[in-house]
Amino acid sequence: MCCCRYGMGLILLGKNKLLLRKHRNDTQSSLLLIIITIVLLTAATGANAETLADEAPDAEQQQDQTTKNKPTSKNKNTQAVILSVNITGVDPAMEKSLLAALAINRATDEAKLSVSRVRNLHDRATTQLLNTLEALGFYHAKVQAELTNQSTAWHATYAVTLGRPTRIDKITLDVIGAGRNHAELKKQLLLPKLQLNSVITHQNYEQSKEALLTTAQNFGFLNVKFASSKIKINRDNYHAEIELTLDTGRQYTFGNVSFHDTKYSNDLLNRFVPFNFNENYTANKLNLFHKNLADSDLFNKIRIDPEPILDHKPNNQEIHPPALNSQVPVSVRLVDKPLDHFTGSVGYGTDTSFRASLGWQHRRVEPSGHKFNTGISVSGIKKQIFGSYSIPGHHAANDKYVVSSSISEGTSQQKFSKKEEVSLAKIKKINDLQTYWTIQYFTEHFKVVPDHTMQHKKYLLPSVKSSWVETPEDTELLFGKKLDLIALGGLDMLLSSTNLLQGQATGKWVTKLASNTRLLTRANLGYTSAKKFNNVPFSLRFFTGGDNTVRGFGYRSLGPQDVDAEGNLIVVGGKNLVEASIEVDQRIYRELLGAVFIDAGNAMNDFNLNLPAGAGVGLRWATKVGMLRIDFAKQIHKIQSKNIRIHLTFGKDL
């Protein structure tokens, strides 16, 4: 850089010499020499100054460098801090709701939380709390906020004064549209969460509105919407007025039903449909349709899609022109179960000893919906082989016909019986009631006492049985009621060994005593009228005692007795039966329950309420398919043995 400056000086010197030659004026030459000397000195000084400038940064650069190296207030602000939040003046449930609404509380889990963010969130917290308190019905609440710190630990405290809550003073619900005169709909348009004089909460208000819309939709008013919905708050007198106008729109009806992806015929599938074409659309009928298909045991998966043409889009924007078709086509997609299904089980019961079974079910496509079942079962007291063929009825979900046959052989308490049977039954189901109309013919070989002569009897018995079961849904423990009634009879002139009339009633009731406690009661009554009771086979006589009847006593060990050739008493069964049981179950831990119980009962030829009884304790393990039970029972009345008897069973309570 310096050399360049000197070069420029020499060029200027050359130019000045030319000027001297041109003017030849001494005075001018002297002046020029002075100017040249000044120029040369200036160039040299500038070069030295620029060299120094290149070697050292200027003051601004030094200031920038110092700023980079020095911690700034921003860096200090972004240093991670620890934050805690506390709300006072409210109960724990409300505190939980308020904390959930606070952004500053959610920020306590942030890994890199700065002081500036804490201050910003704290400034917004009071407004958030007041808004949430208003939503909970406290429109006059006050919040005192405080933010403190010790080093990097920051603590936000919000002291809440709730004040007097705002209560509902008036509710107006108007219905317009096609549903305004629908009596059943108006009965169901209830507001259980919005009651006069109750505290108004936004959540209850919105949930009540949603419930009204759902109720109307369930009755087929698929375009239902609120023409208006208002809450008027009077802060001066702490009152709220609710005004709702529900516009139901038009009512839809069921259209055509189409089935897809199944091998079964439409003729069969349409028999599961619980509604008619053009019948008023209801969600309950659609749910029943799904249940009918599920109960048929033909399908692994069921998907039902109603496809209405609505007057507005989901965001309530109207469609122009509005659709005129009020029918809802229903599309059903099915995944069939395999045509063949095999089952097997192995178990143990104190009455039956070890037991095992094998079964095969074949579902037929042609004829559509017919089923064939066969199986074999073996236990310590009975062997059986059976088969049945079922045919769907006109209403396939509710009725069917079953032809069945079986051969069984058993020995219990030294009593032998062999039975061959064939039967025809019609089964009809209406809601929770299922009825069986049956006619059966059987022959039975049996010995009342081991050393007696083998008897051979035959019976043609028409019978009717009704079974009613009611169980509430969504309960952790099973509750409900069950009642079975059966009546049968035969005449000696119509292929029966004697005139016979028999009836039996069995009832069970499982009810709730406390949140984790239930009461189980059971009663069983039986009656037989026979012209010649000695001709009545074991399968039609009453016995009791054992796992599911009177615990503490052996299987079928209670009833009228006879004496064999060696003088031993043998229970031979009776005409009548009385049984009763009371049990209390208490949850111990999750699916484990403890039980205490008392049972009483007897089989007899003449009614007598002086009954043998047993009592004890037990454990229960609840599973999805039934209750596993172990009971320790002791006889307490009409004692036959002082030993404690163990009863192990598995099955449903109802």
Side-chain angles (χ1 to χ4, degrees):
M1 192 73 177
C2 184
C3 294
C4 181
R5 293 290 187 183
Y6 281 115
M8 291 178 65
L10 292 173
I11 292 170
L12 290 172
L13 180 60
K15 289 182 177 180
N16 286 324
K17 286 182 178 180
L18 291 173
L19 290 172
L20 290 172
R21 291 175 184 173
K22 183 176 182 180
H23 300 287
R24 298 182 183 277
N25 187 309
D26 292 339
T27 303
Q28 290 178 344
S29 298
S30 298
L31 290 172
L32 286 172
L33 288 172
I34 293 170
I35 293 172
I36 290 171
T37 302
I38 293 171
V39 170
L40 291 174
L41 291 173
T42 302
T45 304
N48 290 334
E50 189 166 347
T51 301
L52 292 173
D54 288 340
E55 291 175 354
D58 59 17
E60 185 178 355
Q61 288 175 324
Q62 288 180 350
Q63 185 177 359
D64 289 343
Q65 187 66 31
T66 303
T67 303
K68 290 180 182 178
N69 294 333
K70 182 180 178 180
T72 64
S73 59
K74 182 178 180 181
N75 288 332
K76 182 178 179 180
N77 235 7
T78 56
Q79 186 177 1
V81 300
I82 301 171
L83 175 63
S84 60
V85 179
N86 184 41
I87 297 177
T88 63
V90 296
D91 60 46
M94 184 176 291
E95 180 185 11
K96 185 177 180 181
S97 299
L98 295 177
L99 286 173
L102 280 180
I104 192 171
N105 183 61
R106 295 192 294 272
T108 56
D109 295 330
E110 293 182 10
K112 296 180 179 180
L113 185 62
S114 66
V115 173
S116 60
R117 176 159 168 74
V118 170
R119 293 186 184 280
N120 179 267
L121 293 173
H122 176 70
D123 291 340
R124 295 157 50 193
T126 298
T127 301
Q128 292 172 349
L129 285 172
L130 291 175
N131 289 340
T132 305
L133 287 165
E134 286 188 357
L136 295 173
F138 294 91
Y139 285 83
H140 297 79
K142 296 179 181 179
V143 176
Q144 184 175 353
E146 183 180 10
L147 182 64
T148 60
N149 76 297
Q150 291 182 352
S151 185
T152 59
W154 289 76
H155 183 70
T157 302
Y158 304 98
V160 177
T161 302
L162 290 175
R164 180 178 166 186
T166 299
R167 298 183 179 276
I168 300 174
D169 182 59
K170 183 180 179 182
I171 301 175
T172 303
L173 173 60
D174 295 324
V175 179
I176 61 175
R180 64 184 177 276
N181 296 320
H182 195 292
E184 191 62 29
L185 171 63
K186 297 184 80 170
K187 286 181 184 178
Q188 299 294 324
L189 292 178
L190 304 175
L191 298 170
K193 293 187 176 183
L194 298 178
Q195 299 293 324
L196 291 177
N197 205 38
S198 64
V199 177
I200 178 68
T201 70
H202 294 189
Q203 182 181 29
N204 287 345
Y205 174 71
E206 293 298 334
Q207 288 178 350
S208 297
K209 287 173 57 181
E210 189 65 29
L212 291 174
L213 294 175
T214 301
T215 300
Q217 289 169 349
N218 289 343
F219 279 95
F221 298 97
L222 304 183
N223 292 314
V224 63
K225 61 183 179 180
F226 282 100
S228 65
S229 56
K230 300 175 184 177
I231 300 179
K232 295 181 179 179
I233 303 297
N234 189 325
R235 293 178 179 268
D236 294 335
N237 58 15
Y238 302 90
H239 284 169
E241 294 184 8
I242 297 175
E243 296 179 0
L244 299 172
T245 302
L246 188 70
D247 184 358
T248 65
R250 56 200 172 102
Q251 187 174 20
Y252 282 74
T253 60
F254 284 108
N256 291 316
V257 180
S258 59
F259 298 93
H260 309 277
D261 307 324
T262 178
K263 300 183 290 289
Y264 296 101
S265 67
N266 283 343
D267 176 64
L268 170 69
L269 298 174
N270 282 322
R271 284 185 267 167
F272 292 103
V273 180
F275 48 81
N276 297 317
F277 178 80
N278 212 35
E279 180 182 330
N280 287 339
Y281 177 97
T282 66
N284 288 339
K285 286 291 181 71
L286 213 59
N287 293 335
L288 180 59
F289 185 21
H290 189 282
K291 184 178 184 300
N292 289 346
L293 291 171
D295 290 346
S296 72
D297 194 35
L298 296 175
F299 310 106
N300 273 327
K301 293 182 180 180
I302 302 165
R303 176 174 171 175
I304 300 178
D305 294 317
E307 300 172 342
I309 302 174
L310 301 178
D311 291 345
H312 57 79
K313 298 178 182 178
N315 59 1
N316 287 328
Q317 294 179 357
E318 291 189 0
I319 300 174
H320 297 286
L324 298 178
N325 187 0
S326 295
Q327 292 180 346
V328 181
V330 179
S331 175
V332 184
R333 298 193 177 278
L334 303 166
V335 176
D336 298 339
K337 286 186 175 181
L339 295 181
D340 294 292
H341 177 62
F342 298 91
T343 59
S345 67
V346 176
Y348 178 85
T350 46
D351 284 350
T352 62
S353 185
F354 288 99
R355 60 178 181 264
S357 66
L358 291 174
W360 169 48
Q361 181 185 78
H362 177 66
R363 302 177 179 91
R364 301 193 63 184
V365 177
E366 291 294 339
S368 190
H370 290 210
K371 297 177 187 176
F372 172 71
N373 289 274
T374 187
I376 183 171
S377 63
V378 179
S379 71
I381 59 174
K382 186 177 181 180
K383 294 174 287 186
Q384 183 181 36
I385 183 170
F386 61 89
S388 66
Y389 190 89
S390 63
I391 304 169
H394 179 68
H395 299 285
N398 299 320
D399 58 78
K400 63 181 176 180
Y401 301 89
V402 180
V403 180
S404 60
S405 64
S406 66
I407 300 175
S408 61
E409 182 179 301
T411 302
S412 173
Q413 301 288 332
Q414 303 181 44
K415 298 180 289 292
F416 173 81
S417 173
K418 182 178 180 180
K419 182 179 179 182
E420 298 95 10
E421 178 183 359
V422 62
S423 66
L424 172 64
K426 178 183 179 181
I427 303 173
K428 179 76 173 180
K429 185 177 182 181
I430 303 175
N431 298 324
D432 296 325
L433 179 66
Q434 189 159 283
T435 305
Y436 305 75
W437 288 273
T438 306
I439 183 167
Q440 61 175 324
Y441 177 78
F442 70 86
T443 64
E444 187 168 347
H445 299 74
F446 64 98
K447 284 186 177 183
V448 176
V449 177
D451 54 2
H452 286 192
T453 304
M454 181 77 71
Q455 298 189 58
H456 178 208
K457 303 299 178 184
K458 59 183 180 180
Y459 281 88
L460 179 66
L461 298 175
S463 66
V464 58
K465 176 183 177 182
S466 292
S467 182
W468 173 74
V469 181
E470 180 184 273
T471 55
E473 297 180 356
D474 301 327
T475 56
E476 291 188 25
L477 293 176
L478 177 65
F479 304 104
K481 305 168 187 175
K482 182 178 182 180
L483 178 64
D484 291 332
L485 301 173
I486 183 169
L488 57 87
L491 297 172
D492 56 6
M493 66 179 65
L494 294 175
L495 301 177
S496 293
S497 296
T498 187
N499 294 335
L500 176 75
L501 179 64
Q502 188 174 83
Q504 188 173 1
T506 303
K508 294 181 180 181
W509 182 41
V510 185
T511 188
K512 185 176 182 179
L513 292 181
S515 59
N516 290 310
T517 309
R518 62 179 190 160
L519 173 69
L520 297 86
T521 58
R522 171 174 50 85
N524 192 0
L525 297 174
Y527 171 79
T528 305
S529 175
K531 183 178 180 180
K532 298 177 180 179
F533 189 70
N534 288 338
N535 290 341
V536 176
F538 282 140
S539 61
L540 293 175
R541 298 188 183 196
F542 290 115
F543 298 83
T544 191
D547 296 342
N548 298 306
T549 54
V550 184
R551 286 163 286 190
F553 293 84
Y555 176 63
R556 302 184 74 168
S557 63
L558 296 174
Q561 298 174 328
D562 202 347
V563 181
D564 64 9
E566 299 178 356
N568 298 316
L569 292 175
I570 305 296
V571 179
V572 297
K575 297 180 181 179
N576 309 312
L577 177 69
V578 177
E579 291 174 354
S581 175
I582 297 176
E583 176 177 318
V584 176
D585 290 352
Q586 172 66 45
R587 188 194 300 276
I588 299 173
Y589 178 73
R590 293 188 178 179
E591 289 80 21
L592 180 64
L593 294 84
V596 294
F597 58 85
I598 181 169
D599 302 334
N602 204 0
M604 61 202 76
N605 289 326
D606 298 304
F607 279 107
N608 183 350
L609 297 181
N610 185 17
L611 305 173
V617 298
L619 293 173
R620 310 282 181 264
W621 184 264
T623 72
K624 293 182 179 180
V625 293
M627 193 77 73
L628 178 63
R629 312 176 191 89
I630 181 169
D631 291 319
F632 303 88
K634 187 176 179 63
Q635 300 172 16
I636 60 174
H637 186 60
K638 291 197 172 184
I639 298 172
Q640 300 175 355
S641 171
K642 294 183 179 181
N643 296 329
I644 294 176
R645 190 174 185 88
I646 299 175
H647 299 271
L648 181 65
T649 59
F650 178 80
K652 295 182 178 180
D653 291 319
L654 292 177

